Amino acid sequence: MNAMTRTVLDISGMTCAACAASVEKALSRVDGVSQADVNLALERANVEFDGTGGPEALIRAVEKAGYGASLRASGAAGQSEADEAREAARAAEERQTLLRFGFSVVLSAILVAGTLPMMVGAGEAWLNPWIQAALAAGVMALSGARFYREAFAAVRGGGANMAVLVSLGTTVAFIYSLVLVVIGQGHGHLYFEAAAVVLTLVMLGKYLEARAKRGASSALAALGRLQPRTAERVTENGTKTITVEELKRGDIILVRPGGRVPADGVVVSGETSIDESLVTGESLPIDKREGQKVITGTTNGQGAIEVRIDAVGEDTTLARMTKLIEDAQRGDAPIQRLVDRISAVFVPLILLAALLTFLGWWLIAGSAGMGLVAAVAVLVIACPCALGLATPTALVAGTGAAAKAGILIRDIETLERAETIGIVAFDKTGTLTVGHPQVGETIALDGDNDRLLRYAAALEGRSEHPLAKALAERAPNEDRLDVSGVTALGGKGLVGTVDGHRIAVGNAALAASEGIGAAETESLAAKLRTAGTISFVIIDGKLAGAILFSDEPRPEAAGTIAELKARGLQSIMLTGDNAAAAGAVAAKLGLSDVRASLLPEDKVAAIRDLARETGKNVAFVGDGLNDGAALAAARLGIALSSGTDVARGAAAITLMRPDLRLVPASLDIADRTRRTIRNNLIWAFIYNIIGIPLAAFGILSPVIAGAAMAFSSVSVVTNSLLLARWRPDLDHGA
């Protein structure tokens, strides 16, 4: 059996939910396809298949269904180029649509003015019936041709969509009127103006809808434009310009003032400031010097820097951000899955409803003409565009706005989970605190504090933990010690061999596992004059001393806790640190519920206990390697991007900069996006629930139906577009 692969296709020609359903159906029928998801707003299909027939088989299936398809480019740069080409094609199509709409308006206006007496029942039309037919035919050629092509393609592919409803309704009205003229009854009520005006209004709706959709997805497009096409690789003979696809890990590149960083890396030479606002949401430029990381797509300031590349292609921060946003925008909410099932049978039901409407007026009321008008109105107002656009446009706008603010939402299920949160649990070190602890007090039982620091620093030198960096800064700068066999014990500390001595550095739990009694560690801890994180040092099985670390709370932490409380959410601290250190930080932040000395598995148990005891769902905010399990166990995991890959991978929301004010902001944008989706769907359903019966009973004319249908789509997309203007309120933590 062939391994399953994921292929992404760019789809063109889709106009409504029925179109997306037709493409999904066509892809699902291809041999080897296990899953096909089509996003109407992004015009993209994600397909899982076993490779049978290759991507060409998928493209042929889409084209046979009446739509266009192409294999999405690989790599951020290639995708950006493809997206720019598609954007240029859309812009050209918009201009053409606007031009066709303009001519249609002129022809329709003449037609309406010339038939006004007939429309209001004040006499015969001023225009000759054949001139009416010619004007309507002109509108059908200008504005209707697009819908006729789409309708023919959909029917050929075995489906039906919005274009089928519009094309069928306007064509029936035109042909009926033309037959009356041909047989000499053109002096009666004709419906040329209805066909023309409906097509003109629908064309206006599609134009406005396309513009709004393009605005809603602007965040994703902006990310794509950040990826530079080329880079300057530093060689022995100077610099050489290469494409970003040629970059490899370990390459040294030159980033000139004003240029964009082409790949993630570390500064090896030079100093500058970097504008990271479009990637992390941080409004102020960040100073960068040797040893500090830079991110793909960020803009260099006034200084030239040399950067050693450590991530390329899909491994860069920009590529991972883009993928996260695309994945989030591709999802379906539970309510949207219901809409999709309804949409699959919606068009056939509307065709049946239109037929019954015509037959009812003809057979019961004895008016075939009124039956025709009512049937056309039913076909026109029932177009399911608004239903199909309700969820994807809100998702695109909401997750895009969040990304601009530095909040990455993994998927739509995250929006559902965020609604139910009642408790927010925080890790301490690196989350509530700045994560840059300093060595405070040191107590060596033999009085040799320098030796204690040297041994501890040598062992911790193999770790990325913040305490290791603090030790390295404080330890005496002497000859390098021989270190071997270093092992990390999750939630406890490190053990290893330094210059032939077995060294263990960690918390009281580690000391206990090394055979040190609780009385000894408590007695030593009591000698420390201030509260903080304590690391005990054990040398050859004997307690040698203790090192106290202090880590200040983040400036915005207290304001964030207060903001969450104002929202009715309970905040607690879950930390592996000792009770004294945790209590000192909690007191500064106004936190009353603190649970200290927790191993990673204890944090998971605490989260589950909280949920069971309180009946509330728990969100967990963390950044460390030992937070991965808790982030995954919580109802909602929120990771700081300054933390480890494990933490980010386990979280449903990633904050692209270490600013705790983004925690309540992420809950806010999740809530707003969810509410926008629901409001959109409610409005879309209301339009159809009210409009279809009114049209069937002859209360709603085809012209008014066309205007209402266009307005429904535009209003739904515009409502989503308002969400794209969201900005986080960061005043509470300032």
Side-chain angles (χ1 to χ4, degrees), residues 79-80 170 205 269 290 345 467 543 618 621 639 704:
Q79 291 176 3
S80 178
T170 54
S269 175
E290 186 176 340
V345 297
L467 298 185
L543 184 61
V618 181
V621 187
I704 301 300

Side-chain angles (χ1 to χ4, degrees), residues 175-202:
I175 291 176
Y176 176 80
S177 301
L178 187 61
V179 168
L180 290 180
V181 173
V182 170
I183 64 177
Q185 298 184 20
H187 57 277
H189 197 130
L190 304 176
Y191 302 102
F192 289 122
E193 88 290 341
V197 174
V198 164
L199 284 173
T200 301
L201 288 172
V202 173

Side-chain angles (χ1 to χ4, degrees), residues 86-100:
R86 285 166 59 83
E87 188 68 17
R90 289 193 193 105
E93 185 178 353
E94 280 183 24
R95 289 193 296 271
Q96 188 181 60
T97 299
L98 185 60
L99 184 62
R100 289 174 180 268

Side-chain angles (χ1 to χ4, degrees), residues 333-335 412-420 635 674 678:
I335 191 170
I412 192 170
E413 300 297 337
T414 297
L415 303 179
E416 301 291 327
R417 293 195 295 270
E419 181 182 23
T420 63
R635 176 68 174 169
R674 191 175 55 251
R678 290 176 181 171

